[in-house]
Amino acid sequence: MSWIRKNALWCVFGGAVAMSFVIWGTWQGVHYTSTTEFCLSCHAMGTAGEEYKTSVHFRNASGVRAECKDCHIPPGIVPTLIRKTEALNDLYHTIISPSIDTPEKFNLKRAELAQREWARMSANNSAACKSCHSYEAMDHAKQSANAVAQMTAAAAKNSNCIDCHKGIAHHKPDMSSGFRDRYKQLQSQGEQLPTATTLYSLGEKSLAATAESAAGKAMLYPATEVRVLKREGKNVQIELTGWRESKGRGRVITQYMGKRVFAAVLDASLMNNVKIQQTQVDPESHQEWQLVSVIAWSSADGFTDNVDSIWQYADQMLQSTCSACHSTPPTSRYTANGWIAGLKSMSTYYRLNPVEDRTLLKYLQTHASDVPESNNTKG
């Protein structure tokens, strides 16, 4: 029986040695396939690699370089193995069905790839980022005043780094195609001249005193509710109801008393069409305001009979615009008037045309913290 025991021991020993070699070999394989050299050796990573080499993570004053694994593989044995298993899908799209092997293909999938990585980083609370960047180790005395304010608040909540720091190593995707395609759909629907008596403006629209009048400087703002009084060909006579301050020329019509949520701006030709319905004093500003109605003409296109479709478009614009840099703020973060400065402070970081910008502001204002929810369905 002794030889059986010896053989068993040798089998156990041999198995342990073999297992050790397998574990060692596997870990060496994981280590090798995690190097930047290996990542950038793949032809499909050419575009991403060139962007990375121009980033601060590749070359900076301190000479500390963040390698591919430092951002794309979370720390820890188990998270690393899970991430490596997920990466097997990349082999399929690299070898069997190439999907990003040219700069053109890469740019077409840039938004999808970016959102996938952002979601993965958010899911582990930016563990890879925090393995190098620690809130506790930050010296606020060496940061700018703005950075101190932002990082102090982020540290108190242990915020996700990726919420505010997108586009560090790779170019951010253009997220505008989605909401702009939706707007084109709304425009197309608006060309069908809806027969509803209550309409909402999709964008800015010129207003005139008569159907034959040339377009003046009077303007209807996006997502403003109007009542249709008459139709003549491709023009409609509409009635707009809103508020204006009693003092001044009274050409600016707002959606709510005391709140700068613009509904329209009138010109001299429309001032005789203004009817005062009531006068009130705003309890917050103590200013006197007038509830007025205005009758004007406009082209019948560019309207919708469903304000929710405008809000859905605006929300998609908000998600696409803000998520390119940080997490999307709730509409209740500011008051209606507060959103004017809040959105303006971010205007240098996004690219919207003036009408898109006003539509987004209108959406934020009408869903702000000081606007009753019951009013959110009104233009």
Side-chain angles (χ1 to χ4, degrees):
M1 298 294 292
S2 60
W3 64 272
I4 296 178
R5 292 194 186 94
K6 288 181 180 180
N7 286 341
L9 289 174
W10 277 111
C11 287
V12 172
F13 177 75
V17 171
M19 183 61 70
S20 298
F21 273 108
V22 170
I23 295 174
W24 178 81
T26 301
W27 189 248
Q28 288 300 311
V30 169
H31 176 73
Y32 173 70
T33 56
S34 299
T35 62
T36 298
E37 291 74 19
F38 177 84
C39 295
L40 299 187
S41 68
C42 179
H43 177 70
M45 287 292 102
T47 302
E50 290 303 313
E51 294 174 357
Y52 161 66
K53 289 178 180 178
T54 63
S55 74
V56 69
H57 272 171
F58 183 82
R59 190 180 301 277
N60 52 68
S62 64
V64 177
R65 177 174 295 170
E67 306 292 347
C68 296
K69 65 180 178 63
D70 294 326
C71 295
H72 294 285
I73 299 179
I77 295 176
V78 174
T80 295
L81 293 177
I82 292 175
R83 183 71 188 100
K84 282 297 178 180
T85 302
E86 294 172 344
L88 294 175
N89 180 61
D90 298 338
L91 293 178
Y92 173 82
H93 288 289
T94 299
I95 300 173
I96 301 176
S97 179
S99 60
I100 56 172
D101 54 331
T102 67
E104 293 76 18
K105 288 183 179 180
F106 185 88
N107 283 323
L108 286 175
K109 293 198 68 172
R110 184 185 291 274
E112 177 187 337
L113 296 171
Q115 289 177 313
R116 186 184 70 184
E117 288 301 294
W118 296 341
R120 183 182 57 77
M121 291 179 175
S122 294
N124 58 32
N125 199 28
S126 300
C129 303
K130 293 176 181 178
S131 65
C132 290
H133 301 279
S134 168
Y135 286 125
E136 292 77 12
M138 291 181 183
D139 186 350
H140 295 316
K142 296 181 180 180
Q143 295 177 337
S144 66
N146 183 56
V148 171
Q150 298 293 331
M151 296 310 299
T152 300
K157 298 183 292 185
N158 192 27
S159 295
N160 248 321
C161 304
I162 198 62
D163 285 349
C164 298
H165 297 281
K166 295 183 175 77
I168 298 298
H170 305 290
H171 298 166
K172 289 184 293 186
D174 180 4
M175 308 287 283
S176 65
S177 60
F179 68 80
R180 286 183 173 138
D181 287 344
R182 180 184 285 267
Y183 184 71
K184 291 178 181 177
Q185 294 174 359
L186 293 177
Q187 281 184 310
S188 178
Q189 295 168 4
E191 292 174 358
Q192 299 174 12
L193 307 180
T195 58
T197 56
T198 299
L199 298 177
Y200 304 88
S201 50
L202 292 176
E204 294 180 345
K205 292 185 61 61
S206 296
L207 298 175
T210 65
E212 298 77 20
S213 300
K217 294 183 179 180
M219 187 72 65
L220 190 68
Y221 272 64
T224 297
E225 180 182 324
V226 298
R227 186 167 67 92
V228 178
L229 303 178
K230 187 187 301 184
R231 298 177 187 272
E232 281 189 13
K234 293 186 177 181
N235 296 323
V236 289
Q237 186 185 49
I238 57 176
E239 182 182 40
L240 161 72
T241 301
W243 294 86
R244 70 177 186 181
E245 290 188 78
S246 297
K247 293 183 178 179
R249 293 189 295 175
R251 293 187 177 181
V252 177
I253 308 300
T254 64
Q255 190 162 308
Y256 310 110
M257 178 177 62
K259 296 178 173 58
R260 298 180 64 196
V261 184
F262 298 137
V265 176
L266 310 181
D267 61 8
S269 68
L270 287 173
M271 295 307 293
N272 291 332
N273 294 1
V274 177
K275 293 183 178 180
I276 301 174
Q277 298 182 3
Q278 60 176 278
T279 301
Q280 290 187 22
V281 175
D282 177 30
E284 294 186 8
S285 66
H286 304 293
Q287 298 292 322
E288 187 177 83
W289 288 73
Q290 298 171 339
L291 179 64
V292 300
S293 63
V294 186
I295 296 177
W297 284 87
S298 182
S299 60
D301 62 333
F303 284 105
T304 180
D305 57 359
N306 182 9
V307 72
D308 287 337
S309 63
I310 301 179
W311 296 151
Q312 290 165 7
Y313 152 67
D315 184 68
Q316 187 174 359
M317 189 193 313
L318 174 67
Q319 301 294 331
S320 300
T321 301
C322 294
S323 66
C325 295
H326 54 73
S327 58
T328 305
T331 58
S332 58
R333 173 168 293 183
Y334 299 112
T335 62
N337 289 340
W339 265 118
I340 298 174
L343 191 61
K344 186 177 181 180
S345 66
M346 292 288 103
S347 60
T348 56
Y349 301 102
Y350 61 76
R351 297 177 182 177
L352 297 177
N353 63 46
V355 177
E356 291 171 341
D357 193 75
R358 293 185 184 111
T359 303
L360 178 58
L361 177 60
K362 188 74 167 284
Y363 169 65
L364 295 169
Q365 289 182 302
T366 55
H367 294 76
S369 60
D370 60 340
V371 175
E373 188 174 349
S374 59
N375 290 333
N376 291 346
T377 57
K378 295 182 179 181

